[in-house]
């Protein structure tokens, strides 16, 4: 039996990461917010399906991902064309953003969905390979190979576009901090 | 000499984030500097998104869940 108050606190604590993951798979803040809302409601309704003491973030990500693939994908395909793909993770690109990060965003958007997802789960969201495999409902080896292929592809793309200058410098982080302090004004 | 610059930044960044490099992770591109930079840029790009302020609608959604544990979300189909 899950304690509702503790569960609600945990939901609250995970909202930001849920939203970031939703943005990364929908490529659109509005759709991401609808997805997060559905996820929160489903999680609340199925609260007792969560085993206390296990990783609640992984549990929530799994619900969010399943909701996306069962409900949202069909719906959004009717509205969107493939143009939205390129905007994935670019929704908050500061206009004065560092070119290296811009290159990176573009390269990331070019990865196949499954590779980008695996890379984000393990490389940015802090999940283990095992957790990522559970979230995606696939074998451990599949996650590993997706990540390896994603890294190799990014390495190729970025080495070509950025050459010796590859890598962010201190200024790019200052620019990022400035952009964040200014609030979200992504279009 | 330029090649050392990214590594320094990566170190600082990784230390701040959490140095969560899976041990024995293969580096298929064969260039550790590039792979480390990929890791740090991925986190930089993703962190921008994570840090976006959560819209108020989620806070009200959560408090409505709190008072009516099994009620549907506001704005969704209403029953009751």
């Amino acid at each position: 039996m899950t304690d509702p108050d503790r569960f609600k606190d945990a939901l609250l604590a995970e909202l930001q990461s849920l939203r970031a993951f939703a943005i990364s798979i929908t490529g659109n803040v509005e759709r991401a917010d609808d997805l997060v809302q559905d996820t929160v409601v489903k999680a609340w309704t199925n609260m007792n399906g969560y085993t206390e003491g296990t990783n609640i973030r992984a549990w929530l990500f799994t619900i969010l991902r399943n909701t996306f693939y069962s409900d949202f994908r069909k719906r959004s395909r009717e509205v969107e064309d493939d143009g939205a793909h390129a905007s994935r993770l670019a929704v908050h690109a500061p206009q004065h953003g560092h070119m290296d990060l811009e290159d990176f965003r573009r390269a990331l958007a070019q990865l196949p969905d499954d590779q980008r997802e695996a890379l984000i789960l393990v490389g940015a969201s802090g999940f283990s390979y095992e957790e990522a495999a559970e979230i995606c409902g696939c074998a451990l080896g599949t996650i590993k190979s997706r990540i390896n292929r994603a890294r190799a592809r990014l390495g190729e793309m970025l080495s070509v576009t950025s050459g010796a200058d590859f890598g962010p410098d201190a200024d790019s982080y200052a620019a990022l901090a400035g952009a964040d302090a200014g609030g979200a004004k992504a279009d | 000499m330029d090649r050392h610059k990214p590594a320094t930044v990566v170190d600082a960044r990784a230390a701040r984030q959490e140095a969560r490099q899976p041990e024995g992770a293969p580096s298929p591109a064969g260039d550790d500097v590039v792979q480390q930079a990929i890791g740090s840029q991925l986190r930089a790009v993703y962190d921008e998104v994570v840090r976006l302020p959560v819209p108020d609608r989620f806070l009200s959604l959560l408090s409505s869940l709190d008072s009516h544990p099994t009620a549907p979300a506001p704005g969704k189909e209403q029953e009751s």
Side-chain angles (χ1 to χ4, degrees):
Chain A
M1 191 70 197
T2 306
D3 175 67
D5 287 334
R6 271 215 304 271
F7 190 78
K8 201 199 77 169
D9 288 346
L11 269 180
L12 186 63
E14 297 303 338
L15 274 181
Q16 277 189 306
S17 354
L18 274 177
R19 201 160 170 258
F21 185 52
I23 289 172
S24 78
I25 62 179
T26 62
N28 172 301
V29 173
E30 247 174 67
R31 263 204 312 276
D33 281 345
D34 289 343
L35 180 56
V36 171
Q37 169 151 337
D38 285 4
T39 302
V40 167
V41 173
K42 275 191 195 177
W44 185 259
T45 317
N46 297 307
M47 190 192 306
N48 291 318
Y50 167 68
T51 311
E52 275 194 276
T54 61
N55 187 338
I56 194 165
R57 182 183 290 183
W59 188 75
L60 292 169
F61 271 47
T62 308
I63 295 177
L64 186 140
R65 188 182 182 279
N66 289 344
T67 305
F68 174 70
Y69 281 107
S70 61
D71 305 349
F72 272 68
R73 223 188 175 186
K74 273 176 247 146
R75 226 188 294 164
S76 49
R77 231 188 272 127
E78 293 158 10
V79 189
E80 117 188 55
D81 47 86
D82 44 3
H85 203 85
S87 70
R88 227 151 269 203
L89 277 185
V91 283
H92 188 51
Q95 303 206 326
H96 55 288
H98 199 283
M99 276 318 286
D100 281 346
L101 281 183
E102 204 41 58
D103 285 345
F104 186 85
R105 278 193 200 90
R106 206 170 302 127
L108 190 62
Q110 284 176 39
L111 292 179
D113 288 351
D114 57 353
Q115 291 181 24
R116 182 178 45 249
E117 176 183 62
L119 189 67
I120 284 175
L121 287 172
V122 172
S125 305
F127 289 110
S128 66
Y129 284 114
E130 288 80 4
E131 288 164 336
E134 264 183 52
I135 290 168
C136 298
C138 67
L140 184 59
T142 308
I143 287 293
K144 285 184 178 167
S145 87
R146 282 176 189 169
I147 288 173
N148 286 345
R149 274 180 291 154
R151 284 190 178 138
R153 283 272 303 271
L154 288 176
E156 283 163 24
M157 286 193 271
L158 294 167
S159 301
V160 172
T161 55
S162 306
D165 219 17
F166 185 66
D169 55 25
D171 284 345
S172 77
Y173 290 116
L176 270 183
D180 279 339
K185 48 170 186 229
D187 10 348
Chain B
M1 40 151 102
D2 260 4
R3 317 206 98 231
H4 295 302
K5 211 164 101 190
T8 317
V9 177
V10 166
D11 288 346
R13 182 77 188 174
R16 209 147 62 89
Q17 283 303 316
E18 104 188 88
R20 192 179 214 290
Q21 202 61 260
E23 347 166 350
S27 164
D31 185 342
D32 285 347
V33 175
V34 170
Q35 287 305 315
Q36 280 194 327
I38 285 174
S40 85
Q41 294 204 14
L42 176 67
R43 287 188 294 270
V45 164
Y46 195 69
D47 281 354
E48 282 185 342
V49 183
V50 172
R51 279 194 240 110
L52 292 176
V54 173
D56 289 344
R57 74 188 252 200
F58 290 110
L59 304 181
S60 17
L61 170 63
L62 278 178
S63 35
S64 78
L65 291 176
D66 201 22
S67 39
H68 307 287
T70 54
K76 298 267 134 185
E77 45 196 299
Q78 319 240 344
E79 32 183 276
S80 87

